[in-house]
Amino acid sequence: MSLRLGYGTNGLTDLRLDDALALLADLGYDGVGLTLDHMHLDPLASDLGPRTHRLAQRLSALGLEVTVETGARYVLDPRRKHGPSLLDPDPDARAARTRLLVRAVQVAADLGAHAVHCFSGITPAGTPSITAWQRLQDALAPVLDAASTARIPLAVEPEPGHLLACLDDFHHLRGLLGDPEPLGLTLDIGHCQCLEPASPADCVKQAAPWLRHVQIEDMRRGVHEHLPFGDGEIDFPPVLQALSDSGYEGLTVVELPRHSHAGPELARTSLDFLRSHTPTNGATA
């Protein structure tokens, strides 16, 4: 199976969205990981509906697939990174994050996206684990309902330092929620290198039944820093082979959110790297 390669707009924040999409199409990417944020598609804007409609037309014209990502740093709170989260002590604050994710599902449906990505957030200081997990279940329930209605998978990402930090935590959430059909997994290959006990390639194999979105970059063991390909420690051919063999049909999106200053060049070199390291029987067209 051929990999479908994309690039995340959170690594192209110095470009207007239309320019970023044109760049990716010209380079030969199959799609885009679209982060809902104020500089591209603002999920809080009053004209979100018409803008989403125009974006759907633009994506179609460029032949780009899309996954909706929700990792914008300050889209809800200009003073707290990723705040408020689904674990916030304030129920109204948690509800604001839930509303954002429900809106993201609506945007994804309007765009014909593969999935909506999200993560749990960091457990607030002094919060018992059982309380944090209950908050996460309750906050995700309306999002999962919306995802089920829209027939859009909700792909939860294990994030280092968060309540849901690793693959085991994802399976814990599945169990708590009763394994609902819309719930899937975002697997970040760098995060596997950072903290999972298994190799990134083995993580792909273990996660394959639940894969709904994939993010990819280089990383070093024990250091949560997204790196350009070749600057970290990951052996990519086995990872890309495992993805090709997994049956995963969504986008594999380059995730370099701290490198926007070099985004156009890194988009080019990242695609070259992934194509050159993909085994022949899984190479992109």
Side-chain angles (χ1 to χ4, degrees), residues 134-285:
Q134 187 61 57
R135 287 177 185 168
L136 183 60
Q137 292 178 73
D138 294 344
L140 283 179
V143 189
L144 288 165
D145 287 344
S148 179
T149 299
R151 303 179 66 84
I152 300 287
L154 182 68
V156 179
E157 178 187 9
E159 182 81 19
H162 284 208
L163 173 68
L164 199 156
C166 62
L167 287 172
D168 284 349
D169 293 333
F170 168 73
H171 292 301
H172 180 63
L173 178 64
R174 284 180 56 235
L176 291 174
L177 291 170
D179 199 16
E181 192 275 335
L183 182 65
L185 172 70
T186 292
L187 187 69
D188 187 302
I189 301 302
H191 295 173
C192 297
Q193 176 68 22
C194 180
L195 55 69
E196 295 285 354
S199 71
D202 285 341
C203 286
V204 171
K205 296 171 186 176
Q206 294 169 13
W210 300 278
L211 281 183
R212 302 296 180 266
H213 184 42
V214 174
Q215 297 171 344
I216 193 165
E217 69 286 316
D218 217 339
M219 202 168 287
R220 301 187 183 100
R221 183 70 179 170
V223 182
H224 184 200
E225 181 182 2
H226 291 234
L227 299 172
F229 297 110
D231 288 358
E233 300 170 341
I234 298 177
D235 181 17
F236 280 98
V239 174
L240 298 172
Q241 183 68 66
L243 282 170
S244 295
D245 293 342
S246 69
Y248 171 66
E249 297 180 348
L251 290 171
T252 297
V253 172
V254 179
E255 185 81 357
L256 292 173
R258 297 187 179 182
H259 292 78
S260 184
H261 62 283
E265 177 62 12
L266 280 171
R268 182 186 66 80
T269 58
S270 295
L271 186 60
D272 289 345
F273 180 94
L274 290 171
R275 283 177 165 170
S276 67
H277 286 75
T278 299
T280 302
N281 64 346
T284 53

Side-chain angles (χ1 to χ4, degrees), residues 2-18:
S2 297
L3 296 183
R4 309 290 292 167
L5 299 177
Y7 200 93
T9 59
N10 60 1
L12 295 168
T13 56
D14 290 275
L15 276 67
R16 297 177 182 87
L17 180 57
D18 194 65

Side-chain angles (χ1 to χ4, degrees), residues 10 18 51 53 58 65 79 108 131 139 169 186 208 230 235 267 279:
N10 60 1
D18 194 65
R51 289 184 64 193
H53 178 70
R58 182 62 171 154
E65 303 169 26
R79 301 188 181 190
T131 300
D169 293 333
T186 292
D235 181 17

Side-chain angles (χ1 to χ4, degrees), residues 109-133:
D110 291 341
L111 294 178
H114 288 295
V116 171
H117 147 280
C118 72
F119 44 57
S120 69
I122 297 170
T123 304
T127 303
S129 176
I130 190 171
T131 300
W133 283 107

